[in-house]
Amino acid sequence: MGTLVGHVAPGFGFLLIGLWHLFNHIKLHYQQHPNSYISPPWFPTSKIKYLELYLIITGSSISIAMELFVGPEKHHPFDDDGTIPTNHLHNFEHSSISMALLIYAAFSIVLDRANAKAKHALTQLLAAVAFGQQLMMFRLHSADHVGIEGQYHLLLQIVIVVTLTTTLMGIGFPKSFTVSLVRSASITFQGLWMIIMGNMLWIPVLIPKGCILQWENGHQVVSCAAMEALHRAKALVNIEFSWLVVGMMIFIVSVYLFLGRVYGKKVEYWSLGKEEEGEEEEEEDLESQKKSNLEFVHMGKPYAMDIER
């Protein structure tokens, strides 16, 4: 992180996973009976079961390598005496987030293959720890995020809190579709906000009026010449966030309704077919009962006549 690619690349990963979860949770919600719905922590694919988890492991590994070995000038983050220099503290912080996500994905595969009894709860707990790690690192970042970048990170922390909270709630409420929907939406929101942050902070054309991009402690930051320009820039960040919230609301409801038309009708037609089959079976039972009653009546008449004689 700390660069355009460092924000856009992980943001794209969060966006991809969030959309994948959003689609599958809504699909599962329509295809299953409401009482039988259980929110899985990850979704397998038809050809490669652990594709989602493999992508998380791959992306996290690349992020760790970029932060600790590729990005630094010496291709390692240590000083000559073996200590961690100040300008590389953020590399360790960012790689710690990636490490937590890597551990989550790796142990999710292990728990599933072992068919552990509490694999659902443990997998959700691992994800919650990873998001908690992310929140802690952004909250207690060594780089003094002030100004515009600090405002972007502050609003990102709000979204991470939502993701963390819904992930923990998923342990106690695995049958809640609403919890799963909000978690998926918050992961998607994280990805979008990281992509927006990377573009707005490191593309000079998009930097607010009165602010410039300059080097500070080994990386580029946006600084504003006057307090008025800083307040204006922060207000613009808040407006961006609020517009994105509104856009996400419209997007989620639209996707929910669209997938309902695609998958909801199939379930409805299937249930109607079952009801029609049940009605046909009931009609056949009534006809068979009528026939048996008629036969009984016909058989009873001669017997009654013999008694009278």
Side-chain angles (χ1 to χ4, degrees):
M1 295 185 180
T3 60
L4 173 63
V5 178
H7 282 79
V8 173
F12 181 76
F14 275 93
L15 176 63
L16 185 65
I17 296 297
L19 290 175
W20 171 249
H21 278 222
L22 189 67
F23 169 80
N24 282 283
H25 278 303
I26 296 175
K27 178 182 176 182
L28 192 65
H29 171 69
Y30 276 112
Q31 288 184 336
Q32 288 190 351
H33 191 274
N35 294 330
S36 62
Y37 170 84
I38 296 179
S39 168
W42 55 272
F43 289 93
T45 57
S46 57
K47 294 184 178 180
I48 304 176
K49 181 178 181 181
Y50 302 113
L51 179 61
E52 175 189 334
L53 301 175
Y54 288 153
L55 290 176
I56 295 175
I57 292 173
T58 303
S60 300
S61 301
I62 293 174
S63 175
I64 294 171
M66 292 294 295
E67 290 287 348
L68 299 181
F69 306 108
V70 179
E73 294 181 0
K74 299 179 181 180
H75 297 295
H76 66 80
F78 298 101
D79 214 338
D80 294 334
D81 58 355
T83 59
I84 302 174
T86 304
N87 62 329
H88 284 315
L89 287 173
H90 67 279
N91 297 99
F92 279 92
E93 293 167 347
H94 297 157
S95 61
S96 297
I97 299 173
S98 301
M99 180 64 70
L101 292 172
L102 189 151
I103 292 173
Y104 152 74
F107 275 99
S108 296
I109 297 174
V110 173
L111 288 169
D112 185 72
R113 287 183 174 177
N115 197 21
K117 188 175 181 180
K119 64 179 181 180
H120 179 274
L122 288 175
T123 304
Q124 293 279 40
L125 182 61
L126 287 171
V129 172
F131 291 127
Q133 177 94 310
Q134 183 190 18
L135 178 63
M136 182 189 72
M137 288 301 174
F138 279 120
R139 182 62 182 171
L140 306 176
H141 208 284
S142 60
D144 188 13
H145 285 312
V146 295
I148 305 175
E149 189 175 358
Q151 193 69 13
Y152 274 107
H153 280 83
L154 177 62
L155 296 174
L156 177 62
Q157 292 171 36
I158 297 175
V159 186
I160 298 173
V161 168
V162 175
T163 308
L164 174 60
T165 303
T166 50
T167 304
L168 289 173
M169 290 178 65
I171 300 175
F173 304 97
K175 294 185 177 182
S176 174
F177 169 71
T178 305
V179 171
S180 304
L181 184 70
V182 175
R183 181 174 67 246
S184 303
S186 65
I187 295 173
T188 305
F189 198 104
Q190 279 195 57
L192 286 172
W193 192 243
M194 286 183 183
I195 294 172
I196 292 173
M197 189 191 311
N199 285 278
M200 299 301 293
L201 290 176
W202 283 279
I203 296 180
V205 180
L206 300 177
I207 294 175
K209 184 172 61 176
C211 303
I212 59 172
L213 188 64
Q214 61 182 12
W215 286 94
E216 183 179 310
N217 295 328
H219 61 280
Q220 291 181 307
V221 296
V222 177
S223 60
C224 300
M227 290 299 296
E228 182 180 355
L230 177 61
H231 291 320
R232 177 180 177 276
K234 286 185 176 181
L236 289 175
V237 174
N238 297 336
I239 292 172
E240 289 173 14
F241 187 84
S242 63
W243 283 0
L244 187 59
V245 170
V246 174
M248 280 295 297
M249 292 169 60
I250 297 172
F251 174 74
I252 291 171
V253 175
S254 300
V255 171
Y256 180 81
L257 295 175
F258 174 76
L259 293 179
R261 295 181 63 182
V262 175
Y263 297 104
K265 288 184 177 180
K266 293 181 181 180
V267 177
E268 184 179 357
Y269 291 152
W270 179 83
S271 61
L272 287 174
K274 288 292 183 180
E275 290 178 2
E276 290 176 357
E277 290 178 3
E279 290 176 0
E280 290 178 357
E281 290 177 359
E282 290 179 359
E283 290 178 358
E284 291 177 359
D285 292 339
L286 289 173
E287 290 178 359
S288 62
Q289 288 179 3
K290 289 179 180 178
K291 289 179 180 179
S292 62
N293 291 335
L294 289 173
E295 290 176 357
F296 178 76
V297 171
H298 288 311
M299 292 177 64
K301 284 183 179 179
Y303 177 74
M305 291 174 66
D306 290 340
I307 293 175
E308 289 177 357
R309 291 177 182 176

